[in-house]
Amino acid sequence: GMGVVYRARQVSLGREVAVKVMRPAEILFSESMKRFGRETRALAKLRHPHIAAIHDVGESGGNLYFTMDLIEGGTLAEYMGRRKRPIPLAFGVRVLRQVGGAVAFVHGHGLVHRDLKPANILLDEENNAHVVDFGLALDPAAHATLTATGRLMGTPAYMAPEQALGERALVTERTDIYGLGVLLYELVCGAPPFKGGSIIDTVRSVVQDEPERPRKLRKDLPPALENVILKAMAKDPARRYGTAAAMVADLERFETGEDVEARAPSVAGVAARHVRRYRAPYAAAFGGLVVAMLLTVNGPLGTGIDDTPEGRLAVIEELDAAGAEGAATALARSTLKGLGAVSYTHLRAHETRHDL
């Protein structure tokens, strides 16, 4: 991350706290400064039992820092990494219910977290969950664009499809609901639903593939809980829970043995709706991601490419001549061939870079 977290003692109040100090090298970059400021502003207005609270913000010797609650138990990612056996379902549901409650509170303050993942969930000594790292928090209603269109912000394996497309206008509270679904999927199945051999492979899977049904990976998973996970992870945001609070309510119903509102999705219907909704933006955004990554490795390929089959094939030949090999080149080749009337100039306008 952009900061280093230390354990410290606040002498004036006689308590131990966590101190997050911005890395010196990051101070040189305006985007990092904005992210640090965004995190402190977000945390300053959030007081919730499952969000690590901020206490103080300051600067010392040219180093920016803020102090926050010290959570002793480590991250959820570390907890899962230590487990040799599947996590008890009751534990996973309780953790997700706590995180979901915190996310609902965040949404109530007009923010979207955008980076929900096990590494950003801390567990205290009683295994209660606390959400941290608001460096990517977004106010969808704000006009200021800290995250420009065409940039990939977040962690690919935990991104919603609309977030993976790099279009900020598509990111809403339902983007975080998808993240809650991925968290619950990993808690009960032991691994995230999409994780390719590269960033490109992961993003492609997030956008176009359906996840493996959780009950295929864990036989003791009740159908009701699988339905909750799949509803939260619907490719189409309109088919997810309308609010994080609604998802939490379904988890509470599951815990008390009541019927959940989530119903098993129709695989054929979901796939058809997904293709209709995302084919065009996916082609542009994912094609731009592949080309942008190859440009990063091989340098500019030139501009003014003729938007004809011959012109696109010329781009492919230039990619090959530049020495780009393997799966990325194959993806770029197939993407460029299939884009039809989408021009290379349009692709350049949708270039996407990852920011992890």
Side-chain angles (χ1 to χ4, degrees), residues 168-206:
R168 201 194 81 164
L170 300 177
V171 175
T172 67
E173 289 85 354
R174 296 190 190 210
T175 301
D176 279 347
I177 292 169
Y178 181 95
L180 292 172
V182 175
L183 276 173
L184 186 53
Y185 187 107
E186 184 169 1
L187 276 166
V188 302
C189 297
F194 306 112
K195 196 164 186 179
S198 67
I199 292 173
I200 291 174
D201 290 338
T202 301
V203 170
R204 178 180 60 180
S205 292
V206 165

PDB file of all heavy atoms in Angstrom, residues 168-206:
ATOM      1  N   ARG A 168     -15.969   4.942 -14.075  1.00  0.00           N
ATOM      2  CA  ARG A 168     -16.364   5.409 -12.755  1.00  0.00           C
ATOM      3  C   ARG A 168     -17.856   5.649 -12.646  1.00  0.00           C
ATOM      4  O   ARG A 168     -18.461   5.456 -11.592  1.00  0.00           O
ATOM      5  CB  ARG A 168     -15.619   6.707 -12.389  1.00  0.00           C
ATOM      6  CG  ARG A 168     -15.594   6.944 -10.886  1.00  0.00           C
ATOM      7  CD  ARG A 168     -15.170   8.344 -10.519  1.00  0.00           C
ATOM      8  NE  ARG A 168     -16.278   9.286 -10.643  1.00  0.00           N
ATOM      9  CZ  ARG A 168     -16.284  10.494 -10.103  1.00  0.00           C
ATOM     10  NH1 ARG A 168     -15.223  10.921  -9.444  1.00  0.00           N
ATOM     11  NH2 ARG A 168     -17.320  11.290 -10.233  1.00  0.00           N
ATOM     12  N   ALA A 169     -18.484   6.050 -13.742  1.00  0.00           N
ATOM     13  CA  ALA A 169     -19.912   6.350 -13.697  1.00  0.00           C
ATOM     14  C   ALA A 169     -20.751   5.117 -13.376  1.00  0.00           C
ATOM     15  O   ALA A 169     -21.887   5.240 -12.918  1.00  0.00           O
ATOM     16  CB  ALA A 169     -20.361   6.954 -15.032  1.00  0.00           C
ATOM     17  N   LEU A 170     -20.211   3.926 -13.613  1.00  0.00           N
ATOM     18  CA  LEU A 170     -20.941   2.693 -13.349  1.00  0.00           C
ATOM     19  C   LEU A 170     -20.778   2.215 -11.916  1.00  0.00           C
ATOM     20  O   LEU A 170     -21.453   1.268 -11.498  1.00  0.00           O
ATOM     21  CB  LEU A 170     -20.469   1.589 -14.309  1.00  0.00           C
ATOM     22  CG  LEU A 170     -20.643   1.857 -15.805  1.00  0.00           C
ATOM     23  CD1 LEU A 170     -20.068   0.705 -16.611  1.00  0.00           C
ATOM     24  CD2 LEU A 170     -22.112   2.066 -16.145  1.00  0.00           C
ATOM     25  N   VAL A 171     -19.873   2.817 -11.153  1.00  0.00           N
ATOM     26  CA  VAL A 171     -19.582   2.370  -9.790  1.00  0.00           C
ATOM     27  C   VAL A 171     -20.573   3.006  -8.815  1.00  0.00           C
ATOM     28  O   VAL A 171     -20.657   4.230  -8.714  1.00  0.00           O
ATOM     29  CB  VAL A 171     -18.138   2.720  -9.397  1.00  0.00           C
ATOM     30  CG1 VAL A 171     -17.865   2.381  -7.935  1.00  0.00           C
ATOM     31  CG2 VAL A 171     -17.154   1.980 -10.296  1.00  0.00           C
ATOM     32  N   THR A 172     -21.321   2.163  -8.097  1.00  0.00           N
ATOM     33  CA  THR A 172     -22.306   2.620  -7.119  1.00  0.00           C
ATOM     34  C   THR A 172     -22.175   1.766  -5.863  1.00  0.00           C
ATOM     35  O   THR A 172     -21.275   0.926  -5.753  1.00  0.00           O
ATOM     36  CB  THR A 172     -23.740   2.487  -7.670  1.00  0.00           C
ATOM     37  OG1 THR A 172     -24.051   1.087  -7.813  1.00  0.00           O
ATOM     38  CG2 THR A 172     -23.876   3.180  -9.023  1.00  0.00           C
ATOM     39  N   GLU A 173     -23.116   1.956  -4.933  1.00  0.00           N
ATOM     40  CA  GLU A 173     -23.133   1.131  -3.729  1.00  0.00           C
ATOM     41  C   GLU A 173     -23.223  -0.356  -4.073  1.00  0.00           C
ATOM     42  O   GLU A 173     -22.696  -1.201  -3.347  1.00  0.00           O
ATOM     43  CB  GLU A 173     -24.313   1.531  -2.829  1.00  0.00           C
ATOM     44  CG  GLU A 173     -24.144   2.889  -2.152  1.00  0.00           C
ATOM     45  CD  GLU A 173     -24.592   4.049  -3.021  1.00  0.00           C
ATOM     46  OE1 GLU A 173     -24.935   3.812  -4.224  1.00  0.00           O
ATOM     47  OE2 GLU A 173     -24.607   5.190  -2.530  1.00  0.00           O
ATOM     48  N   ARG A 174     -23.866  -0.686  -5.183  1.00  0.00           N
ATOM     49  CA  ARG A 174     -23.990  -2.102  -5.555  1.00  0.00           C
ATOM     50  C   ARG A 174     -22.656  -2.710  -5.961  1.00  0.00           C
ATOM     51  O   ARG A 174     -22.518  -3.939  -5.985  1.00  0.00           O
ATOM     52  CB  ARG A 174     -25.027  -2.255  -6.672  1.00  0.00           C
ATOM     53  CG  ARG A 174     -26.425  -1.857  -6.207  1.00  0.00           C
ATOM     54  CD  ARG A 174     -27.497  -2.220  -7.211  1.00  0.00           C
ATOM     55  NE  ARG A 174     -28.772  -1.620  -6.837  1.00  0.00           N
ATOM     56  CZ  ARG A 174     -29.953  -2.143  -7.109  1.00  0.00           C
ATOM     57  NH1 ARG A 174     -30.029  -3.307  -7.731  1.00  0.00           N
ATOM     58  NH2 ARG A 174     -31.059  -1.533  -6.754  1.00  0.00           N
ATOM     59  N   THR A 175     -21.683  -1.876  -6.267  1.00  0.00           N
ATOM     60  CA  THR A 175     -20.332  -2.377  -6.511  1.00  0.00           C
ATOM     61  C   THR A 175     -19.761  -2.987  -5.236  1.00  0.00           C
ATOM     62  O   THR A 175     -19.131  -4.053  -5.262  1.00  0.00           O
ATOM     63  CB  THR A 175     -19.431  -1.233  -7.013  1.00  0.00           C
ATOM     64  OG1 THR A 175     -19.985  -0.704  -8.217  1.00  0.00           O
ATOM     65  CG2 THR A 175     -18.016  -1.706  -7.273  1.00  0.00           C
ATOM     66  N   ASP A 176     -19.976  -2.335  -4.102  1.00  0.00           N
ATOM     67  CA  ASP A 176     -19.542  -2.889  -2.819  1.00  0.00           C
ATOM     68  C   ASP A 176     -20.335  -4.134  -2.445  1.00  0.00           C
ATOM     69  O   ASP A 176     -19.801  -5.048  -1.790  1.00  0.00           O
ATOM     70  CB  ASP A 176     -19.693  -1.850  -1.712  1.00  0.00           C
ATOM     71  CG  ASP A 176     -18.553  -0.853  -1.667  1.00  0.00           C
ATOM     72  OD1 ASP A 176     -17.518  -1.082  -2.321  1.00  0.00           O
ATOM     73  OD2 ASP A 176     -18.701   0.171  -0.960  1.00  0.00           O
ATOM     74  N   ILE A 177     -21.606  -4.203  -2.841  1.00  0.00           N
ATOM     75  CA  ILE A 177     -22.407  -5.401  -2.552  1.00  0.00           C
ATOM     76  C   ILE A 177     -21.813  -6.602  -3.270  1.00  0.00           C
ATOM     77  O   ILE A 177     -21.730  -7.706  -2.716  1.00  0.00           O
ATOM     78  CB  ILE A 177     -23.877  -5.166  -2.943  1.00  0.00           C
ATOM     79  CG1 ILE A 177     -24.496  -4.114  -2.013  1.00  0.00           C
ATOM     80  CG2 ILE A 177     -24.675  -6.463  -2.895  1.00  0.00           C
ATOM     81  CD1 ILE A 177     -25.848  -3.610  -2.440  1.00  0.00           C
ATOM     82  N   TYR A 178     -21.351  -6.391  -4.498  1.00  0.00           N
ATOM     83  CA  TYR A 178     -20.643  -7.462  -5.199  1.00  0.00           C
ATOM     84  C   TYR A 178     -19.407  -7.872  -4.390  1.00  0.00           C
ATOM     85  O   TYR A 178     -19.125  -9.070  -4.231  1.00  0.00           O
ATOM     86  CB  TYR A 178     -20.229  -6.989  -6.595  1.00  0.00           C
ATOM     87  CG  TYR A 178     -19.511  -8.045  -7.406  1.00  0.00           C
ATOM     88  CD1 TYR A 178     -20.199  -8.857  -8.316  1.00  0.00           C
ATOM     89  CD2 TYR A 178     -18.135  -8.229  -7.292  1.00  0.00           C
ATOM     90  CE1 TYR A 178     -19.544  -9.819  -9.059  1.00  0.00           C
ATOM     91  CE2 TYR A 178     -17.468  -9.192  -8.032  1.00  0.00           C
ATOM     92  CZ  TYR A 178     -18.175  -9.982  -8.917  1.00  0.00           C
ATOM     93  OH  TYR A 178     -17.515 -10.938  -9.643  1.00  0.00           O
ATOM     94  N   GLY A 179     -18.661  -6.890  -3.875  1.00  0.00           N
ATOM     95  CA  GLY A 179     -17.485  -7.198  -3.067  1.00  0.00           C
ATOM     96  C   GLY A 179     -17.826  -8.012  -1.839  1.00  0.00           C
ATOM     97  O   GLY A 179     -17.076  -8.919  -1.444  1.00  0.00           O
ATOM     98  N   LEU A 180     -18.973  -7.716  -1.201  1.00  0.00           N
ATOM     99  CA  LEU A 180     -19.418  -8.512  -0.057  1.00  0.00           C
ATOM    100  C   LEU A 180     -19.692  -9.954  -0.483  1.00  0.00           C
ATOM    101  O   LEU A 180     -19.367 -10.903   0.243  1.00  0.00           O
ATOM    102  CB  LEU A 180     -20.677  -7.897   0.555  1.00  0.00           C
ATOM    103  CG  LEU A 180     -20.509  -6.547   1.259  1.00  0.00           C
ATOM    104  CD1 LEU A 180     -21.870  -5.974   1.649  1.00  0.00           C
ATOM    105  CD2 LEU A 180     -19.615  -6.675   2.496  1.00  0.00           C
ATOM    106  N   GLY A 181     -20.278 -10.119  -1.661  1.00  0.00           N
ATOM    107  CA  GLY A 181     -20.527 -11.468  -2.165  1.00  0.00           C
ATOM    108  C   GLY A 181     -19.242 -12.236  -2.395  1.00  0.00           C
ATOM    109  O   GLY A 181     -19.146 -13.430  -2.068  1.00  0.00           O
ATOM    110  N   VAL A 182     -18.236 -11.573  -2.945  1.00  0.00           N
ATOM    111  CA  VAL A 182     -16.943 -12.230  -3.175  1.00  0.00           C
ATOM    112  C   VAL A 182     -16.300 -12.607  -1.842  1.00  0.00           C
ATOM    113  O   VAL A 182     -15.723 -13.694  -1.703  1.00  0.00           O
ATOM    114  CB  VAL A 182     -16.011 -11.317  -3.998  1.00  0.00           C
ATOM    115  CG1 VAL A 182     -14.632 -11.945  -4.126  1.00  0.00           C
ATOM    116  CG2 VAL A 182     -16.592 -11.071  -5.381  1.00  0.00           C
ATOM    117  N   LEU A 183     -16.380 -11.717  -0.861  1.00  0.00           N
ATOM    118  CA  LEU A 183     -15.840 -12.026   0.467  1.00  0.00           C
ATOM    119  C   LEU A 183     -16.497 -13.275   1.051  1.00  0.00           C
ATOM    120  O   LEU A 183     -15.819 -14.171   1.567  1.00  0.00           O
ATOM    121  CB  LEU A 183     -16.057 -10.845   1.403  1.00  0.00           C
ATOM    122  CG  LEU A 183     -15.034  -9.710   1.386  1.00  0.00           C
ATOM    123  CD1 LEU A 183     -15.529  -8.556   2.250  1.00  0.00           C
ATOM    124  CD2 LEU A 183     -13.679 -10.193   1.884  1.00  0.00           C
ATOM    125  N   LEU A 184     -17.830 -13.343   0.975  1.00  0.00           N
ATOM    126  CA  LEU A 184     -18.536 -14.496   1.529  1.00  0.00           C
ATOM    127  C   LEU A 184     -18.207 -15.755   0.742  1.00  0.00           C
ATOM    128  O   LEU A 184     -18.045 -16.838   1.318  1.00  0.00           O
ATOM    129  CB  LEU A 184     -20.045 -14.230   1.534  1.00  0.00           C
ATOM    130  CG  LEU A 184     -20.917 -15.278   2.222  1.00  0.00           C
ATOM    131  CD1 LEU A 184     -20.448 -15.558   3.640  1.00  0.00           C
ATOM    132  CD2 LEU A 184     -22.382 -14.830   2.219  1.00  0.00           C
ATOM    133  N   TYR A 185     -18.087 -15.634  -0.574  1.00  0.00           N
ATOM    134  CA  TYR A 185     -17.702 -16.763  -1.421  1.00  0.00           C
ATOM    135  C   TYR A 185     -16.358 -17.319  -0.956  1.00  0.00           C
ATOM    136  O   TYR A 185     -16.194 -18.533  -0.762  1.00  0.00           O
ATOM    137  CB  TYR A 185     -17.617 -16.299  -2.869  1.00  0.00           C
ATOM    138  CG  TYR A 185     -17.394 -17.389  -3.894  1.00  0.00           C
ATOM    139  CD1 TYR A 185     -18.428 -17.782  -4.742  1.00  0.00           C
ATOM    140  CD2 TYR A 185     -16.153 -18.014  -4.052  1.00  0.00           C
ATOM    141  CE1 TYR A 185     -18.237 -18.767  -5.708  1.00  0.00           C
ATOM    142  CE2 TYR A 185     -15.946 -19.004  -5.001  1.00  0.00           C
ATOM    143  CZ  TYR A 185     -16.994 -19.374  -5.831  1.00  0.00           C
ATOM    144  OH  TYR A 185     -16.801 -20.353  -6.787  1.00  0.00           O
ATOM    145  N   GLU A 186     -15.378 -16.436  -0.755  1.00  0.00           N
ATOM    146  CA  GLU A 186     -14.051 -16.899  -0.341  1.00  0.00           C
ATOM    147  C   GLU A 186     -14.066 -17.477   1.068  1.00  0.00           C
ATOM    148  O   GLU A 186     -13.375 -18.452   1.357  1.00  0.00           O
ATOM    149  CB  GLU A 186     -13.041 -15.757  -0.434  1.00  0.00           C
ATOM    150  CG  GLU A 186     -11.618 -16.195  -0.114  1.00  0.00           C
ATOM    151  CD  GLU A 186     -10.574 -15.154  -0.454  1.00  0.00           C
ATOM    152  OE1 GLU A 186     -10.932 -14.063  -0.926  1.00  0.00           O
ATOM    153  OE2 GLU A 186      -9.374 -15.437  -0.235  1.00  0.00           O
ATOM    154  N   LEU A 187     -14.861 -16.879   1.952  1.00  0.00           N
ATOM    155  CA  LEU A 187     -14.937 -17.394   3.316  1.00  0.00           C
ATOM    156  C   LEU A 187     -15.451 -18.833   3.348  1.00  0.00           C
ATOM    157  O   LEU A 187     -14.917 -19.667   4.088  1.00  0.00           O
ATOM    158  CB  LEU A 187     -15.849 -16.501   4.159  1.00  0.00           C
ATOM    159  CG  LEU A 187     -15.211 -15.252   4.774  1.00  0.00           C
ATOM    160  CD1 LEU A 187     -16.287 -14.298   5.275  1.00  0.00           C
ATOM    161  CD2 LEU A 187     -14.265 -15.634   5.915  1.00  0.00           C
ATOM    162  N   VAL A 188     -16.455 -19.129   2.545  1.00  0.00           N
ATOM    163  CA  VAL A 188     -17.046 -20.469   2.616  1.00  0.00           C
ATOM    164  C   VAL A 188     -16.393 -21.464   1.660  1.00  0.00           C
ATOM    165  O   VAL A 188     -16.424 -22.670   1.917  1.00  0.00           O
ATOM    166  CB  VAL A 188     -18.571 -20.417   2.371  1.00  0.00           C
ATOM    167  CG1 VAL A 188     -19.246 -19.516   3.387  1.00  0.00           C
ATOM    168  CG2 VAL A 188     -18.903 -19.992   0.960  1.00  0.00           C
ATOM    169  N   CYS A 189     -15.771 -20.969   0.584  1.00  0.00           N
ATOM    170  CA  CYS A 189     -15.177 -21.865  -0.414  1.00  0.00           C
ATOM    171  C   CYS A 189     -13.669 -21.962  -0.319  1.00  0.00           C
ATOM    172  O   CYS A 189     -13.059 -22.866  -0.908  1.00  0.00           O
ATOM    173  CB  CYS A 189     -15.567 -21.433  -1.830  1.00  0.00           C
ATOM    174  SG  CYS A 189     -17.336 -21.522  -2.166  1.00  0.00           S
ATOM    175  N   GLY A 190     -13.023 -21.015   0.381  1.00  0.00           N
ATOM    176  CA  GLY A 190     -11.584 -21.084   0.574  1.00  0.00           C
ATOM    177  C   GLY A 190     -10.763 -20.354  -0.462  1.00  0.00           C
ATOM    178  O   GLY A 190      -9.539 -20.278  -0.347  1.00  0.00           O
ATOM    179  N   ALA A 191     -11.387 -19.798  -1.490  1.00  0.00           N
ATOM    180  CA  ALA A 191     -10.657 -19.066  -2.534  1.00  0.00           C
ATOM    181  C   ALA A 191     -11.627 -18.125  -3.222  1.00  0.00           C
ATOM    182  O   ALA A 191     -12.835 -18.385  -3.266  1.00  0.00           O
ATOM    183  CB  ALA A 191     -10.045 -20.023  -3.554  1.00  0.00           C
ATOM    184  N   PRO A 192     -11.126 -16.992  -3.770  1.00  0.00           N
ATOM    185  CA  PRO A 192     -12.026 -16.092  -4.507  1.00  0.00           C
ATOM    186  C   PRO A 192     -12.536 -16.759  -5.772  1.00  0.00           C
ATOM    187  O   PRO A 192     -11.911 -17.696  -6.287  1.00  0.00           O
ATOM    188  CB  PRO A 192     -11.133 -14.881  -4.818  1.00  0.00           C
ATOM    189  CG  PRO A 192      -9.735 -15.410  -4.763  1.00  0.00           C
ATOM    190  CD  PRO A 192      -9.741 -16.506  -3.744  1.00  0.00           C
ATOM    191  N   PRO A 193     -13.668 -16.319  -6.299  1.00  0.00           N
ATOM    192  CA  PRO A 193     -14.261 -16.976  -7.465  1.00  0.00           C
ATOM    193  C   PRO A 193     -13.456 -16.830  -8.744  1.00  0.00           C
ATOM    194  O   PRO A 193     -13.516 -17.693  -9.616  1.00  0.00           O
ATOM    195  CB  PRO A 193     -15.627 -16.300  -7.589  1.00  0.00           C
ATOM    196  CG  PRO A 193     -15.470 -14.982  -6.899  1.00  0.00           C
ATOM    197  CD  PRO A 193     -14.509 -15.211  -5.794  1.00  0.00           C
ATOM    198  N   PHE A 194     -12.714 -15.729  -8.885  1.00  0.00           N
ATOM    199  CA  PHE A 194     -11.960 -15.492 -10.114  1.00  0.00           C
ATOM    200  C   PHE A 194     -10.521 -15.117  -9.759  1.00  0.00           C
ATOM    201  O   PHE A 194     -10.289 -14.131  -9.054  1.00  0.00           O
ATOM    202  CB  PHE A 194     -12.585 -14.353 -10.930  1.00  0.00           C
ATOM    203  CG  PHE A 194     -14.040 -14.555 -11.232  1.00  0.00           C
ATOM    204  CD1 PHE A 194     -15.003 -13.740 -10.664  1.00  0.00           C
ATOM    205  CD2 PHE A 194     -14.451 -15.574 -12.082  1.00  0.00           C
ATOM    206  CE1 PHE A 194     -16.339 -13.925 -10.934  1.00  0.00           C
ATOM    207  CE2 PHE A 194     -15.797 -15.771 -12.359  1.00  0.00           C
ATOM    208  CZ  PHE A 194     -16.746 -14.943 -11.786  1.00  0.00           C
ATOM    209  N   LYS A 195      -9.584 -15.885 -10.243  1.00  0.00           N
ATOM    210  CA  LYS A 195      -8.182 -15.559 -10.036  1.00  0.00           C
ATOM    211  C   LYS A 195      -7.379 -16.220 -11.136  1.00  0.00           C
ATOM    212  O   LYS A 195      -7.023 -17.398 -11.044  1.00  0.00           O
ATOM    213  CB  LYS A 195      -7.699 -16.001  -8.657  1.00  0.00           C
ATOM    214  CG  LYS A 195      -6.387 -15.338  -8.257  1.00  0.00           C
ATOM    215  CD  LYS A 195      -6.124 -15.467  -6.772  1.00  0.00           C
ATOM    216  CE  LYS A 195      -4.893 -14.659  -6.391  1.00  0.00           C
ATOM    217  NZ  LYS A 195      -4.613 -14.753  -4.926  1.00  0.00           N
ATOM    218  N   GLY A 196      -7.092 -15.451 -12.198  1.00  0.00           N
ATOM    219  CA  GLY A 196      -6.360 -15.993 -13.330  1.00  0.00           C
ATOM    220  C   GLY A 196      -4.855 -15.951 -13.124  1.00  0.00           C
ATOM    221  O   GLY A 196      -4.356 -15.501 -12.086  1.00  0.00           O
ATOM    222  N   GLY A 197      -4.146 -16.400 -14.135  1.00  0.00           N
ATOM    223  CA  GLY A 197      -2.694 -16.401 -14.058  1.00  0.00           C
ATOM    224  C   GLY A 197      -2.072 -15.037 -14.228  1.00  0.00           C
ATOM    225  O   GLY A 197      -0.887 -14.853 -13.990  1.00  0.00           O
ATOM    226  N   SER A 198      -2.875 -14.060 -14.642  1.00  0.00           N
ATOM    227  CA  SER A 198      -2.383 -12.700 -14.830  1.00  0.00           C
ATOM    228  C   SER A 198      -3.528 -11.739 -14.529  1.00  0.00           C
ATOM    229  O   SER A 198      -4.686 -12.144 -14.382  1.00  0.00           O
ATOM    230  CB  SER A 198      -1.906 -12.485 -16.267  1.00  0.00           C
ATOM    231  OG  SER A 198      -3.003 -12.547 -17.170  1.00  0.00           O
ATOM    232  N   ILE A 199      -3.198 -10.452 -14.444  1.00  0.00           N
ATOM    233  CA  ILE A 199      -4.237  -9.443 -14.233  1.00  0.00           C
ATOM    234  C   ILE A 199      -5.238  -9.467 -15.379  1.00  0.00           C
ATOM    235  O   ILE A 199      -6.451  -9.373 -15.168  1.00  0.00           O
ATOM    236  CB  ILE A 199      -3.590  -8.048 -14.109  1.00  0.00           C
ATOM    237  CG1 ILE A 199      -2.783  -7.971 -12.812  1.00  0.00           C
ATOM    238  CG2 ILE A 199      -4.645  -6.948 -14.133  1.00  0.00           C
ATOM    239  CD1 ILE A 199      -1.967  -6.706 -12.677  1.00  0.00           C
ATOM    240  N   ILE A 200      -4.748  -9.608 -16.598  1.00  0.00           N
ATOM    241  CA  ILE A 200      -5.635  -9.638 -17.763  1.00  0.00           C
ATOM    242  C   ILE A 200      -6.607 -10.800 -17.660  1.00  0.00           C
ATOM    243  O   ILE A 200      -7.811 -10.655 -17.878  1.00  0.00           O
ATOM    244  CB  ILE A 200      -4.810  -9.724 -19.058  1.00  0.00           C
ATOM    245  CG1 ILE A 200      -4.047  -8.422 -19.289  1.00  0.00           C
ATOM    246  CG2 ILE A 200      -5.709 -10.025 -20.253  1.00  0.00           C
ATOM    247  CD1 ILE A 200      -3.107  -8.472 -20.465  1.00  0.00           C
ATOM    248  N   ASP A 201      -6.086 -11.998 -17.321  1.00  0.00           N
ATOM    249  CA  ASP A 201      -6.955 -13.168 -17.216  1.00  0.00           C
ATOM    250  C   ASP A 201      -8.004 -12.983 -16.130  1.00  0.00           C
ATOM    251  O   ASP A 201      -9.172 -13.359 -16.298  1.00  0.00           O
ATOM    252  CB  ASP A 201      -6.113 -14.412 -16.903  1.00  0.00           C
ATOM    253  CG  ASP A 201      -5.248 -14.841 -18.068  1.00  0.00           C
ATOM    254  OD1 ASP A 201      -5.572 -14.469 -19.213  1.00  0.00           O
ATOM    255  OD2 ASP A 201      -4.248 -15.543 -17.836  1.00  0.00           O
ATOM    256  N   THR A 202      -7.593 -12.396 -14.997  1.00  0.00           N
ATOM    257  CA  THR A 202      -8.533 -12.191 -13.899  1.00  0.00           C
ATOM    258  C   THR A 202      -9.623 -11.215 -14.284  1.00  0.00           C
ATOM    259  O   THR A 202     -10.819 -11.463 -14.047  1.00  0.00           O
ATOM    260  CB  THR A 202      -7.786 -11.696 -12.647  1.00  0.00           C
ATOM    261  OG1 THR A 202      -6.797 -12.655 -12.271  1.00  0.00           O
ATOM    262  CG2 THR A 202      -8.752 -11.480 -11.490  1.00  0.00           C
ATOM    263  N   VAL A 203      -9.251 -10.094 -14.888  1.00  0.00           N
ATOM    264  CA  VAL A 203     -10.238  -9.094 -15.291  1.00  0.00           C
ATOM    265  C   VAL A 203     -11.199  -9.688 -16.313  1.00  0.00           C
ATOM    266  O   VAL A 203     -12.420  -9.469 -16.234  1.00  0.00           O
ATOM    267  CB  VAL A 203      -9.539  -7.842 -15.851  1.00  0.00           C
ATOM    268  CG1 VAL A 203     -10.547  -6.901 -16.497  1.00  0.00           C
ATOM    269  CG2 VAL A 203      -8.787  -7.116 -14.738  1.00  0.00           C
ATOM    270  N   ARG A 204     -10.680 -10.435 -17.247  1.00  0.00           N
ATOM    271  CA  ARG A 204     -11.553 -11.055 -18.252  1.00  0.00           C
ATOM    272  C   ARG A 204     -12.564 -11.988 -17.592  1.00  0.00           C
ATOM    273  O   ARG A 204     -13.755 -11.968 -17.919  1.00  0.00           O
ATOM    274  CB  ARG A 204     -10.722 -11.839 -19.267  1.00  0.00           C
ATOM    275  CG  ARG A 204     -11.566 -12.548 -20.331  1.00  0.00           C
ATOM    276  CD  ARG A 204     -10.713 -13.311 -21.321  1.00  0.00           C
ATOM    277  NE  ARG A 204      -9.908 -14.328 -20.636  1.00  0.00           N
ATOM    278  CZ  ARG A 204      -9.064 -15.137 -21.261  1.00  0.00           C
ATOM    279  NH1 ARG A 204      -8.890 -15.019 -22.568  1.00  0.00           N
ATOM    280  NH2 ARG A 204      -8.380 -16.041 -20.593  1.00  0.00           N
ATOM    281  N   SER A 205     -12.106 -12.797 -16.637  1.00  0.00           N
ATOM    282  CA  SER A 205     -13.016 -13.719 -15.952  1.00  0.00           C
ATOM    283  C   SER A 205     -14.061 -12.978 -15.138  1.00  0.00           C
ATOM    284  O   SER A 205     -15.231 -13.351 -15.119  1.00  0.00           O
ATOM    285  CB  SER A 205     -12.223 -14.661 -15.041  1.00  0.00           C
ATOM    286  OG  SER A 205     -11.418 -15.543 -15.796  1.00  0.00           O
ATOM    287  N   VAL A 206     -13.638 -11.921 -14.451  1.00  0.00           N
ATOM    288  CA  VAL A 206     -14.574 -11.137 -13.647  1.00  0.00           C
ATOM    289  C   VAL A 206     -15.693 -10.598 -14.517  1.00  0.00           C
ATOM    290  O   VAL A 206     -16.871 -10.621 -14.130  1.00  0.00           O
ATOM    291  CB  VAL A 206     -13.845  -9.985 -12.933  1.00  0.00           C
ATOM    292  CG1 VAL A 206     -14.826  -8.954 -12.395  1.00  0.00           C
ATOM    293  CG2 VAL A 206     -12.975 -10.520 -11.803  1.00  0.00           C
TER     294      VAL A 206
END
